[in-house]
């Protein structure tokens, strides 16, 4: 049997909607017809990326099927851990619970109006109307997810595992530019920086610089997969809708749509740049030896992400995998 074609993965962030990405990754790993060269992830996408890479690194040197099963188990362990953290935070102080709920509201027993969009709206409203920053509301910078990441993910092993490149993106507060963390610079702090909503969490300090959520500069960033990987195929797992037909009217809907637009802006810009380069290549105006003719594939959560529940862990169907394998 010939070696599986290699593709790169680009994983969007989106709180507990990242469970949809888990389902997509689980299906791709189970199918086994494609292999991965690089992964770029932001926020929840970054967490999926390191969980998957951790599983591969743990099974380094074993048969490809065993490595895929190890990656599947690692992703499952991560999301089960998220559920367990959500259960624990319901019995502790609201100060400890609130940041986790905003990131993974669907996994901590929330009901009714306590959706992630509503939680984020409440946080934003509190921030602007009362001038309460996370340095005041959470002065100890408590975040149970960071401890969990440090305990579960072996970042040193991921750095040493050369068969898979992992890129996590955060936004530098002072410059507003994207910072890509990979190799030995990829740590639990880097992942938390990638998921750092500035109205909820204190900026994450790394090497003397401070960082906020990577979604402002790349959700996810595509350029590391173009310039640092050989494969021209990129599979985008998108969980933030670009288009909405309904006009948002209440506070939660408006804030939700503002966030969708904001966290898709950088991705749309990169997609336009890729399309522009492809047109110039097709017209013979660029040297194909210097510029990569990227093939983009998209797996979109679509309407299923409108249903807010832990059941957003769904598996993409085999037809999707077949399209990627066959260049669709």
């Amino acid at each position: 049997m010939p070696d599986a074609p290699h593709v790169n993965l680009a994983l969007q962030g989106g709180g507990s909607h990242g469970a949809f990405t888990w389902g997509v990754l689980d299906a791709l790993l189970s199918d086994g017809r494609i292999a991965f060269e690089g992964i770029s992830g932001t926020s929840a996408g970054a967490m999926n990326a390191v969980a998957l890479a951790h599983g591969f690194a743990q099974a380094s040197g074993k048969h490809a099927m065993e490595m895929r099963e190890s990656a599947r188990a690692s992703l499952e362990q991560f999301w089960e851990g998220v559920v367990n953290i959500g259960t624990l935070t319901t019995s502790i102080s609201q100060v400890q619970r609130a940041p986790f709920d905003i990131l993974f509201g669907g996994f901590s027993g929330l009901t009714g109006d306590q959706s992630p969009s509503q939680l984020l709206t409440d946080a934003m409203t509190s921030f602007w109307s009362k001038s309460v920053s996370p340095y005041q509301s959470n002065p100890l910078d408590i975040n149970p997810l960071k401890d969990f990441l440090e305990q579960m993910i072996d970042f040193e092993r991921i750095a040493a595992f050369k068969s898979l490149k992992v890129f996590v993106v955060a936004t530098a507060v002072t410059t507003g530019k994207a910072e890509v963390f990979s190799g030995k610079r990829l740590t639990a702090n880097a992942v938390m920086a990638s998921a750092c909503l500035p109205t909820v969490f204190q900026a994450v300090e790394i090497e003397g610089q401070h960082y906020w959520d990577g979604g402002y500069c790349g959700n996810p960033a595509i350029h590391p997969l173009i310039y640092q990987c050989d494969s021209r195929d990129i599979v985008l797992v998108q969980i933030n809708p670009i288009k909405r037909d309904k006009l948002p009217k209440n506070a939660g809907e408006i804030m939700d749509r503002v966030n969708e637009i904001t966290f898709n802006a950088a991705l749309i810009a990169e997609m336009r740049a890729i399309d522009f380069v492809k047109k110039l290549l097709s017209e013979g105006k660029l040297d194909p030896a210097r510029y990569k003719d990227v093939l983009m594939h998209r797996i979109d959560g679509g309407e299923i992400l409108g249903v807010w529940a832990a059941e957003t862990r769904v598996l993409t169907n085999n037809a999707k995998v077949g399209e990627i394998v066959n260049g669709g």
Side-chain angles (χ1 to χ4, degrees):
M1 180 178 177
D3 292 338
H6 281 71
V7 303
N8 297 309
L9 296 172
L11 311 179
Q12 272 201 330
S16 59
H17 280 171
F20 171 83
T21 301
W22 166 30
V24 171
L25 297 175
D26 188 80
L28 296 177
L29 290 164
S30 177
D31 182 272
R33 283 183 284 168
I34 57 175
F36 310 128
E37 180 186 2
I39 312 176
S40 176
T42 299
S43 193
M47 296 176 196
N48 273 315
V50 297
L52 183 148
H54 172 78
F56 271 122
Q58 277 192 314
S60 179
K62 295 183 179 179
H63 188 274
M65 183 177 68
E66 293 179 274
M67 294 178 70
R68 292 196 302 270
E69 288 303 312
S70 178
R72 293 180 68 194
S74 180
L75 284 162
E76 183 174 6
Q77 182 184 1
F78 171 78
W79 285 99
E80 285 183 349
V82 167
V83 174
N84 291 334
I85 294 174
T87 302
L88 289 172
T89 56
T90 59
S91 61
I92 60 179
S93 73
Q94 185 64 25
V95 171
Q96 291 173 294
R97 177 183 172 186
F100 178 86
D101 281 347
I102 290 170
L103 272 179
F104 294 109
F107 285 88
S108 55
L110 300 180
T111 59
D113 292 334
Q114 292 179 296
S115 66
S117 62
Q118 186 62 53
L119 285 164
L120 184 55
T121 298
D122 292 344
M124 293 288 287
T125 302
S126 175
F127 180 80
W128 293 115
S129 65
K130 302 178 182 178
S131 298
V132 177
S133 82
Y135 296 87
Q136 296 169 299
S137 61
N138 187 11
L140 299 180
D141 201 22
I142 296 170
N143 191 333
L145 187 59
K146 180 185 175 184
D147 294 335
F148 171 62
L149 277 173
E150 289 177 333
Q151 293 169 7
M152 178 186 162
I153 305 297
D154 189 337
F155 287 94
E156 290 185 3
R157 182 172 285 185
I158 292 175
F161 184 63
K162 303 303 182 183
S163 298
L164 183 65
K165 301 173 184 177
V166 184
F167 308 99
V168 166
V169 180
T171 302
V173 177
T174 55
T175 66
K177 295 181 179 179
E179 183 76 15
V180 179
F181 295 92
S182 61
K184 293 182 179 180
R185 297 186 70 221
L186 180 55
T187 62
N189 262 355
V191 176
M192 296 313 302
S194 184
C196 180
L197 291 169
T199 59
V200 181
F201 303 104
Q202 295 183 25
V204 177
E205 182 176 357
I206 301 173
E207 300 167 353
Q209 299 294 321
H210 291 87
Y211 297 94
W212 283 340
D213 196 293
Y216 297 114
C217 288
N219 190 22
I222 305 296
H223 63 273
L225 303 176
I226 297 175
Y227 295 110
Q228 298 186 49
C229 297
D230 294 326
S231 174
R232 60 192 291 227
D233 289 277
I234 298 175
V235 180
L236 169 66
V237 183
Q238 189 168 11
I239 56 179
N240 285 330
I242 289 180
K243 181 180 178 181
R244 290 281 191 186
D245 295 326
K246 180 184 176 182
L247 177 67
K249 292 184 177 180
N250 65 46
E253 291 173 346
I254 292 170
M255 184 58 67
D256 209 23
R257 187 60 184 145
V258 168
N259 288 327
E260 288 171 355
I261 293 170
T262 300
F263 288 112
N264 274 323
L267 173 64
I268 292 172
E270 282 200 280
M271 296 291 283
R272 286 174 176 165
I274 291 170
D275 183 60
F276 182 60
V277 170
K278 287 179 70 68
K279 287 181 179 178
L280 293 179
L281 284 169
S282 67
E283 295 169 359
K285 296 178 180 179
L286 289 179
D287 182 0
R290 295 186 58 190
Y291 295 91
K292 185 182 296 183
D293 188 7
V294 175
L295 299 177
M296 292 295 304
H297 315 270
R298 185 176 68 147
I299 298 176
D300 185 358
E303 293 182 0
I304 195 164
L305 295 185
V307 180
W308 188 258
E311 285 80 359
T312 50
R313 180 191 181 272
V314 296
L315 303 184
T316 184
N317 57 49
N318 286 333
K320 286 287 188 183
V321 182
E323 288 173 10
I324 296 165
V325 172
N326 298 317

